[in-house]
Amino acid sequence: MNIVSIYPHPMDEQYRHDQNVTIISNNKIYSYEEAKLRGAKTDEGNSIPIRSLFFGFKEINLVPQKIDYWIFSKPFRKISLEGYKYFFVDLLKATTKKDLKKFITKNVIEIPHHMGHIYNGFFASPFKSSKILSIDGGGDFGDQRRMLWGEINYKGSDKLNFKKFGETFNNQGLGIAAFHNHLTDVLGFYDNNGKTSGLAAYGKFSKQLYAKLKNFFLLDLKKQKIIFSNKRKKTSTQFEKIKYQTFEPKKYLKISPTNSKLLNICKKYKAEDIAITGEKLLIDITIDFIKSIFATNKDNLICVGGLFNNVVLNKEIIKKTEFKNYYFSMSPGDSGLSLGMALYIKFKHKKKKFSKKYMSKFGLSPYLGPSFKDFEIKEIIQNFNLNYKKFDSYKKVNSFLVKKIVDGKIIGLFRGRGEYGPRSLGSRSILADPRNINSKQKLNLFIKRRDWFMPFAPAIIEEKFSEYFNDEKASLYMQLTQKAGSYFKKIAPAACHVDNSCRTQLVIKEFNPSFHDLILKFGKLTGCYSILNTSFNRHGISTISSPYQAVEHLLGGTIEYLIINNFIISLEENRIMKKN
């Protein structure tokens, strides 16, 4: 059985973001985001994720004519036959104009936005039953809910059971996720909520500001009511700031911060104090809501939807509630919707989750993106006329790499299949030595060129995680923070944030043996079984997705050594360096 799942609906008229595609063929799976292949950090304005679709056909070795089911998110309005004709007949040649109507009836399935979130959370988790909560900024016009929660299981049955406990809709007002976005805008970060969380670690909590921020909410947890209100005024455009290499439409269509009542309230406070106080309110309201909607804590809990990209919130949920186990998916926001919809249809027909090749006790493998063969890589390297070395195994490459990392070099790692979701997890990563506190400064100021207060994540092999973080919960996807103990702070100071928190990545051998081997070798040499890991990209663009982009980053001075599969390329050997 062959399945293609696409978000958003490619023929829908509404303006959406986070375009993504999933393809499942028997027991093979591909999932990837369009923004990574376009090279833009945000991809507003594009409706058909054609690049991620075609790269999926290449990865899985399929053609459109072989697809049994086409899965889309529920559209705003019913799509006309002419609309489908452009996509299925003219563009993909999946069917003929004569057979189109019958094809749509038989092969096309539409799933509401928040059910896509629910399916993403459940089928990517290792659970057979769980309480589940979906919260995002407000779904889309085809599913105008902002929260949905209930219980889901297939325990003792091959039939999926989802019992809805409750839901809220956009016409009731803005929700808790919107508050986080508005708070981030007040700080001048547009919609980059991760910056708010990063800055919060430097702040001082203000009880006075907390009370003022809480006044923006109408809260009635007995009635499951969380309504946030903050009217923002229109801002002027700033097209003079357009940059070809970092195209971000939202920054040209409005100025951040936007003039609003929330901005006026916050003007008297320091940015870092606004961040930590707002984050505290976000956490308190979300946890109180979870406690109010789920009466028993004996079950598992899955949290999904864009709100749960907040790793500090996720950690506090674990700390302050008492569920049996927790799961936060690799891509909880809209970029995970195609995966959720596809996994549901696969289960509906096959009555089981994926095999151990993709599933572990921690959840689904995140390495679901495109890969490149050696002949493709070699052709790109030769077209750039670069000097390079090639080893015959990743273990030999890792032996070479470890020494360079110890010497303080910044490494670009492009190996195997790309990661699905917002985090780089050892396939499209920039690596550095966590023992050297200067690694953080070197990465932030000279390589990534991003805000000084943003932390970096340590990747840690499973065998050493409990030694470094005791009984803290771990995530394969960097979806949780942990408090660093004195020992880890001593051996990996560059991996610890100012508040001693770490957004860790658990590395298990079965999903990424080459990355696991690299960290193991580094640990045997240094005594530190962790490596500093950040996304492979310059500031303002998405995580890179092709060997060509990787070479461009090397020659642009973003990294000092580039690894593409088993090819090694040195910046020093391929570029005349400017002398100070």
Side-chain angles (χ1 to χ4, degrees):
M1 184 176 64
N2 299 321
I3 299 167
V4 167
S5 176
I6 299 176
Y7 180 83
H9 196 304
M11 282 70 71
D12 200 359
E13 62 190 67
Q14 62 179 307
Y15 176 82
R16 295 307 301 159
H17 57 92
D18 289 341
Q19 289 83 0
N20 53 97
V21 169
T22 295
I23 301 176
I24 295 176
S25 178
N26 297 321
N27 207 35
K28 295 188 289 186
I29 181 170
Y30 161 93
S31 289
Y32 214 54
E33 305 95 322
E34 186 75 1
K36 292 176 181 176
L37 291 163
R38 290 183 185 272
K41 198 156 192 175
T42 55
D43 52 1
E44 294 96 337
N46 302 307
S47 59
I48 301 179
I50 197 71
R51 289 172 174 82
S52 44
L53 177 61
F54 282 19
F55 268 90
F57 286 143
K58 173 179 178 285
E59 186 70 31
I60 302 294
N61 191 24
L62 276 177
V63 294
Q65 295 79 9
K66 296 292 185 180
I67 302 305
D68 300 299
Y69 295 103
W70 295 84
I71 320 302
F72 304 130
S73 56
K74 183 181 177 182
F76 178 38
R77 293 189 178 96
K78 186 177 180 179
I79 306 300
S80 68
L81 201 63
E82 189 63 29
Y84 279 120
K85 175 182 174 295
Y86 167 72
F87 186 71
F88 286 120
V89 179
D90 301 339
L91 182 63
L92 298 181
K93 310 290 190 280
T95 187
T96 64
K97 184 178 179 180
K98 178 183 177 182
D99 296 330
L100 180 59
K101 190 173 182 179
K102 181 180 178 182
F103 175 89
I104 294 168
T105 302
K106 180 182 177 183
N107 302 95
V108 174
I109 300 171
E110 294 171 352
I111 294 176
H113 183 106
H114 271 282
M115 288 310 299
H117 282 315
I118 294 291
Y119 296 144
N120 172 25
F122 181 65
F123 288 111
S125 81
F127 306 149
K128 290 187 176 181
S129 66
S130 183
K131 299 293 192 298
I132 190 161
L133 169 63
S134 173
I135 304 179
D136 68 7
D140 54 32
F141 291 152
D143 182 4
Q144 299 184 37
R145 292 178 285 189
R146 49 183 170 82
M147 294 196 292
L148 174 64
W149 62 95
E151 186 173 45
I152 190 167
N153 68 74
Y154 67 97
K155 204 170 184 178
S157 169
D158 58 5
K159 182 181 178 182
L160 181 70
N161 301 295
F162 173 64
K163 183 179 180 181
K164 181 177 70 176
F165 290 176
E167 60 191 355
T168 62
F169 292 85
N170 290 333
N171 60 10
Q172 297 170 301
L174 299 174
I176 187 66
F179 167 69
H180 203 210
N181 290 337
H182 283 235
L183 185 74
T184 297
D185 176 54
V186 162
L187 295 170
F189 299 147
Y190 291 88
D191 58 359
N192 192 336
N193 295 334
K195 289 189 177 183
T196 301
S197 300
L199 182 61
Y202 292 86
K204 183 178 180 181
F205 174 77
S206 169
K207 188 175 181 180
Q208 181 189 56
L209 178 60
Y210 184 93
K212 290 180 179 179
L213 294 178
K214 195 171 183 179
N215 285 335
F216 283 85
F217 284 91
L218 175 62
L219 299 171
D220 188 344
L221 296 181
K222 289 184 179 180
K223 296 181 178 179
Q224 290 90 45
K225 186 180 288 185
I226 302 175
I227 299 175
F228 167 70
S229 178
N230 175 48
K231 190 173 182 180
R232 295 191 284 195
K233 297 181 180 179
K234 290 183 178 180
T235 68
S236 58
T237 57
Q238 40 188 359
F239 291 110
E240 69 278 2
K241 291 192 174 183
I242 289 179
K243 295 180 180 179
Y244 173 80
Q245 66 274 25
T246 57
F247 188 72
E248 298 181 79
K250 63 177 179 288
K251 292 188 176 181
Y252 317 136
L253 295 171
K254 73 173 187 176
I255 295 172
S256 182
T258 309
N259 189 6
S260 67
K261 185 178 178 181
L262 184 63
L263 176 63
N264 292 331
I265 290 291
C266 292
K267 278 182 177 178
K268 299 177 182 178
Y269 300 89
K270 294 180 179 178
E272 58 269 32
D273 298 343
I274 297 169
I276 192 171
T277 305
E279 289 265 310
K280 178 69 164 59
L281 178 60
L282 171 82
I283 290 166
D284 289 347
I285 291 175
T286 304
I287 290 175
D288 287 345
F289 181 72
I290 290 172
K291 290 178 178 179
S292 73
I293 60 173
F294 296 128
T296 176
N297 291 345
K298 295 179 181 179
D299 207 344
N300 302 311
L301 176 66
I302 297 169
C303 294
V304 72
L307 179 66
F308 300 104
N309 272 316
N310 188 321
V311 297
V312 179
L313 169 63
N314 297 346
K315 165 64 184 298
E316 290 299 308
I317 289 171
I318 292 175
K319 183 178 177 182
K320 295 179 179 178
T321 62
E322 297 178 353
F323 291 88
K324 184 178 179 182
N325 295 294
Y326 299 81
Y327 182 75
F328 303 92
S329 81
M330 72 191 83
S331 190
D334 289 358
S335 60
L337 286 172
S338 70
L339 176 63
M341 295 187 296
L343 290 175
Y344 166 66
I345 297 302
K346 179 189 182 328
F347 177 86
K348 188 176 179 180
H349 288 271
K350 296 294 183 180
K351 310 301 183 185
K352 62 181 180 179
K353 289 190 176 185
F354 265 100
S355 66
K356 291 182 179 180
K357 177 182 177 182
Y358 290 103
M359 186 63 72
S360 75
K361 63 181 179 181
F362 300 102
L364 191 70
S365 169
Y367 306 105
L368 305 176
S371 62
F372 295 85
K373 294 182 169 55
D374 281 356
F375 77 87
E376 297 175 286
I377 297 165
K378 188 174 181 179
E379 180 181 349
I380 291 170
I381 294 172
Q382 289 178 339
N383 285 342
F384 274 98
N385 197 27
L386 298 176
N387 298 308
Y388 68 92
K389 297 175 183 177
K390 187 177 186 294
F391 290 88
D392 58 13
S393 73
Y394 70 75
K395 292 188 175 182
K396 291 180 180 179
V397 172
N398 288 344
S399 296
F400 174 89
L401 271 187
V402 162
K403 296 173 184 177
K404 297 303 176 184
I405 295 172
V406 169
D407 288 341
K409 301 300 182 184
I410 304 297
I411 309 298
L413 187 62
F414 190 105
R415 192 156 58 181
R417 296 185 67 178
E419 303 92 338
Y420 185 54
R423 321 290 188 205
S424 287
L425 305 170
S427 283
R428 309 290 184 264
S429 291
I430 292 178
L431 309 177
D433 189 343
R435 301 171 306 143
N436 187 345
I437 193 64
N438 293 325
S439 293
K440 181 178 177 180
Q441 184 180 24
K442 187 175 181 181
L443 283 168
N444 252 342
L445 298 182
F446 303 110
I447 306 298
K448 299 284 283 187
R449 300 179 182 92
R450 65 179 192 170
D451 297 292
W452 60 269
F453 54 81
M454 294 300 287
F456 289 99
I460 302 160
I461 58 174
E462 181 183 6
E463 297 87 335
K464 289 290 182 177
F465 190 88
S466 60
E467 181 180 332
Y468 294 158
F469 295 99
N470 299 318
D471 58 350
E472 295 257 18
K473 299 288 185 181
S475 170
L476 298 177
Y477 322 121
M478 293 186 190
Q479 283 292 71
L480 295 171
T481 62
Q482 293 83 16
K483 279 291 182 183
S486 57
Y487 179 61
F488 190 73
K489 284 190 290 183
K490 181 180 178 181
I491 65 170
C496 303
H497 204 21
V498 66
D499 60 353
N500 294 326
S501 66
C502 297
R503 187 186 72 189
T504 62
Q505 174 199 355
L506 182 73
V507 181
I508 60 175
K509 188 175 182 180
E510 53 262 48
F511 282 171
N512 198 335
S514 63
F515 193 41
H516 183 278
D517 178 74
L518 175 62
I519 300 172
L520 184 65
K521 282 183 167 64
F522 183 79
K524 288 179 178 179
L525 184 64
T526 66
C528 176
Y529 290 83
S530 172
I531 284 181
L532 209 62
N533 177 17
T534 187
S535 57
F536 198 155
N537 63 290
R538 296 186 302 273
H539 179 70
I541 72 168
S542 61
T543 301
I544 67 167
S545 59
S546 73
Y548 189 95
Q549 291 173 301
V551 172
E552 284 186 323
H553 275 61
L554 174 77
L555 298 180
T558 303
I559 52 178
E560 293 167 291
Y561 281 88
L562 171 62
I563 312 304
I564 312 180
N565 287 0
N566 291 332
F567 294 87
I568 299 177
I569 313 166
S570 164
L571 175 63
E572 189 175 2
E573 294 177 4
N574 288 284
R575 179 182 173 197
I576 299 174
M577 304 297 288
K578 180 180 178 181
K579 294 183 179 180
N580 295 326

